[in-house]
Amino acid sequence: MQAFWIQLMANFFKENEKKKVNKKSTKSNIITIDKLDLNGCGVGRYQKKPIFVTGSLPNERVEIRIIEQKNKYILAKLLNVTKASEHRVVAQCQHFTLCGGCDLQHLDYAEQLLFKQNKVTELLARSGLSRELIDQLPWQKPINSSQWNYRRKARIGVQFDKNSQAIIGFRQKATNQLVGIKSCPVLVKPACDIFPLLKALLAKLTIKKSIGHIEIISAETADKGEHLTLVVRQIRPINEHDRQLWQEYAEKYAWTVQFIENTKGQDNSDVHSGISRAELTYKLPDDIQIQFSHTDFIQINQPVNLAMIEQALVWLMPESKDQVLDLFCGLGNFSLPLAKKVAKVVGVEGIQVMVDKARANAKSNQLDNCQFYQADLNIPWLSSSWAKNNFTKVLLDPARAGAEQAVAQVSQLNIGTILYVSCDPATLARDSQILLEKGYKIAKIGLIDMFSQTKHVETMVLFQR
């Protein structure tokens, strides 16, 4: 019986604590925002707790309504800005407050870059970099391009409301529901205004609810030059009426349209069909052409990608006798431009299909001093045959998970120069600490603003022993 009452009282207090923690407020409050967190969300103090207010900026007085209370922090909704920051600007996108694609459109662009640099600095400090080294970081001029109309690849979601009307757009913030988009100013032209066209087209389809999503890619093909390719994911096979309708729109707007139907072939793979099929390409320095398919990873900001490669070549200072190891090489985005400058490049990638395409890209560009290998770089690879070369320089361009195991092994190769291209400052900070502990120093560091108007940060760091 005593155990029963103890459990009952425990449940009572647990339930009361739960109610207290999740309590919502119907009234509004005025608070001051002190800073932005690492995700670009405004942070203030309320009832001795940090309070997070999406859409607010430092030094602003804002009217908020609490939407959720936790033990250690509070979430609130921004109702009104009573005293605006001098760095606040009018968001260019009409969907900014709902769409989850951009985070910083309300912040002046120069301040966006400062926020991103401070984000990298803070994460490096958290990883163990001393205040003295933080203050002495050799920051270089950031790589950037146009703030708008830069994104050349995007996946557009398709949902249908209760009236079977298509909702075409991107996910809302923190949900799986779509925002119906009319125009997206970060997409390249003419992709930014494609949404009304797709909505009109889908309204005419006979099996429109079979569409899962539509991927758009701005790239070159041999027959059309640079134009839009649309990849339509079908959960059921397309019929002839709908195929003809897509054909009409494709001809009118100069699209290439491909379909991926959720019908398994004999090898259990998706069946690909289309109005026309063409190899997609994009350009690199020295007239290099990279061929890719819609499933391949490419850098979505072409002007920034070109500038990033050029900077990598300048920072690495490649010489004709150099042998360069390119880890996480992908399609050869860095490998092929490097091969034009050095004696040999060895590219290593975890996915065999990407390795095959990198080899094909080297061959089509008549580069015979590139070798590409498949390997899981997160497990020991120093005994691999390709690792036995006398490398003089290393380039790493990992995914967001970073290159912890690869960096630890690279540090054992006694190579004086390492260039790290990062798309996640948290994993960059972790991996940098490994190299710093092995006797390397940061010779140069710079932002790469691949994703203007968002919280996402890319960084290039040159390490020298």
Side-chain angles (χ1 to χ4, degrees), residues 91 141 163 263 386 435 447:
K141 182 180 178 181
N163 298 317
T263 303
W386 53 263
L435 292 174
L447 293 180

Side-chain angles (χ1 to χ4, degrees), residues 93-240:
C93 179
Q94 59 185 304
H95 309 292
F96 171 64
T97 57
L98 290 177
C99 179
C102 296
D103 317 281
L104 300 175
Q105 283 194 27
H106 59 310
L107 181 61
D108 174 76
Y109 184 64
E111 290 297 311
Q112 290 186 31
L113 295 177
L114 182 59
F115 159 75
K116 294 180 180 185
Q117 181 171 312
N118 290 338
K119 180 175 180 175
V120 175
T121 300
E122 180 175 342
L123 288 167
L124 285 171
R126 290 184 185 183
S127 73
L129 202 63
S130 69
R131 174 49 56 185
E132 180 183 4
L133 290 177
I134 289 290
D135 293 340
Q136 295 175 1
L137 282 174
W139 283 102
Q140 309 295 303
K141 182 180 178 181
I143 292 174
N144 54 16
S145 64
S146 171
Q147 301 173 37
W148 308 103
N149 301 121
Y150 64 82
R151 189 178 184 105
R152 60 174 167 173
K153 187 178 182 183
R155 177 173 291 185
I156 298 174
V158 179
Q159 293 177 348
F160 292 88
D161 63 19
K162 61 183 180 181
N163 298 317
S164 296
Q165 297 297 309
I167 302 170
I168 301 173
F170 302 120
R171 288 182 181 179
Q172 298 181 30
K173 297 181 188 296
T175 76
N176 288 323
Q177 295 300 309
L178 294 182
V179 178
I181 300 293
K182 296 180 179 179
S183 180
C184 175
V186 300
L187 293 181
V188 296
K189 297 177 180 180
C192 58
D193 296 320
I194 200 172
F195 301 90
L197 301 179
L198 293 176
K199 188 173 180 68
L201 189 158
L202 263 63
K204 302 174 185 177
L205 298 178
T206 58
I207 52 170
K208 55 190 175 184
K209 289 189 177 181
S210 67
I211 295 177
H213 64 256
I214 302 168
E215 189 163 9
I216 55 172
I217 308 163
S218 176
E220 292 188 354
T221 56
D223 57 336
K224 292 184 179 180
E226 188 163 352
H227 69 289
L228 289 183
T229 293
L230 279 63
V231 182
V232 184
R233 167 69 73 170
Q234 296 271 147
I235 60 175
R236 294 198 302 274
I238 191 170
N239 62 29
E240 191 55 37

Side-chain angles (χ1 to χ4, degrees), residues 207-403:
I207 52 170
K208 55 190 175 184
K209 289 189 177 181
S210 67
I211 295 177
H213 64 256
I214 302 168
E215 189 163 9
I216 55 172
I217 308 163
S218 176
E220 292 188 354
T221 56
D223 57 336
K224 292 184 179 180
E226 188 163 352
H227 69 289
L228 289 183
T229 293
L230 279 63
V231 182
V232 184
R233 167 69 73 170
Q234 296 271 147
I235 60 175
R236 294 198 302 274
I238 191 170
N239 62 29
E240 191 55 37
H241 172 275
D242 291 358
R243 186 183 296 274
Q244 183 60 36
L245 189 61
W246 278 105
Q247 174 77 52
E248 293 172 5
Y249 271 73
E251 291 177 353
K252 183 175 181 179
Y253 297 105
W255 300 339
T256 295
V257 179
Q258 300 178 19
F259 302 100
I260 302 177
E261 301 175 0
N262 194 23
T263 303
K264 301 298 182 181
Q266 292 182 352
D267 60 352
N268 204 38
S269 60
D270 289 327
V271 172
H272 291 239
S273 62
I275 294 168
S276 59
R277 294 287 306 273
E279 196 69 38
L280 304 172
T281 66
Y282 67 87
K283 293 179 181 179
L284 293 184
D286 291 325
D287 297 321
I288 295 170
Q289 294 276 348
I290 294 286
Q291 292 188 348
F292 69 100
S293 70
H294 71 94
T295 56
D296 297 328
F297 170 81
I298 63 170
Q299 299 290 358
I300 57 91
N301 189 323
Q302 171 67 345
V304 167
N305 185 48
L306 292 174
M308 178 177 69
I309 294 169
E310 294 283 9
Q311 180 169 285
L313 294 174
V314 171
W315 287 18
L316 276 173
M317 294 189 293
E319 299 177 355
S320 58
K321 63 182 180 180
D322 279 330
Q323 296 190 42
V324 181
L325 177 60
D326 182 8
L327 300 179
F328 310 95
C329 66
L331 298 164
N333 192 59
F334 287 104
S335 303
L336 303 191
L338 279 166
K340 291 266 190 175
K341 310 288 185 183
V342 302
K344 183 178 183 179
V345 175
V346 172
V348 187
E349 171 60 49
I351 303 172
Q352 185 62 51
V353 172
M354 298 289 273
V355 173
D356 295 339
K357 290 182 179 181
R359 289 171 178 165
N361 280 322
K363 183 177 181 180
S364 65
N365 286 281
Q366 300 179 334
L367 293 168
D368 58 7
N369 61 337
C370 295
Q371 297 175 0
F372 294 96
Y373 299 89
Q374 187 278 329
D376 183 351
L377 295 170
N378 296 310
I379 61 176
W381 46 259
L382 286 174
S383 61
S384 302
S385 60
W386 53 263
K388 302 298 184 182
N389 290 272
N390 295 319
F391 297 115
T392 54
K393 289 163 185 174
V394 179
L395 187 149
L396 302 96
D397 184 17
R400 291 186 179 180

